[in-house]
Amino acid sequence: DNSRFYRVVPTWVVQFGVAGNPDLAQALEHAYIENDPIISDVHNDQAYMTYSAAYSESGDMGINRTTELFINLEDHRELDSMGFTPIGKVISGFSEVVEKFYAGYGE
């Protein structure tokens, strides 16, 4: 469906979740999902997957989860207290696949 991993930042994240179909991507752009609760024993460690956030112009996170997610390439526990609760973990193929995504395009 032409969906892509569209952001790869070495030592930071691999990001994905925008629909490959432009009409669907536009329809989902503001289809917000309730924020996940912060769970104290789940962390933004390497290989954990978390919803991205869309900040308002005022910088307030509010209810802002959409279809975009990221996979942590290293531990980033500083995100835990900011409301980024991991929802899953890459359990196979992390070093063989995820860490090898091309990062040459930059931000």
Side-chain angles (χ1 to χ4, degrees), residues 5 9-11 13 17 30 41 50 69 72 83 86 95 99 102 107:
F5 290 93
V9 181
T11 73
V13 297
H30 298 289
D41 60 341
T50 305
L69 298 114
N72 288 294
S95 60
E99 289 186 316
Y102 181 72
E107 276 283 342

Side-chain angles (χ1 to χ4, degrees), residues 35-105:
N35 292 344
D36 299 306
I38 295 175
I39 301 172
S40 62
D41 60 341
V42 178
H43 303 287
N44 277 282
D45 289 338
Q46 183 181 60
Y48 277 83
M49 184 170 52
T50 305
Y51 275 103
S52 300
Y55 291 91
S56 69
E57 289 182 21
S58 68
D60 178 34
M61 282 183 61
I63 296 173
N64 62 4
R65 303 292 187 246
T66 62
T67 59
E68 298 177 50
L69 298 114
F70 62 87
I71 301 168
N72 288 294
L73 294 176
E74 292 185 354
D75 293 353
H76 293 290
R77 290 190 175 198
E78 68 275 13
L79 297 174
D80 295 352
S81 63
M82 298 168 63
F84 293 95
T85 301
I87 62 163
K89 181 179 181 181
V90 177
I91 59 170
S92 177
F94 183 80
S95 60
E96 299 85 5
V97 178
V98 178
E99 289 186 316
K100 297 206 181 339
F101 282 119
Y102 181 72
Y105 296 114

Side-chain angles (χ1 to χ4, degrees), residues 1-4 17-29 67:
D1 71 356
N2 293 320
S3 295
R4 308 267 195 272
V18 175
N21 175 309
D23 293 332
L24 180 57
Q26 185 176 15
L28 294 173
E29 184 175 6
T67 59

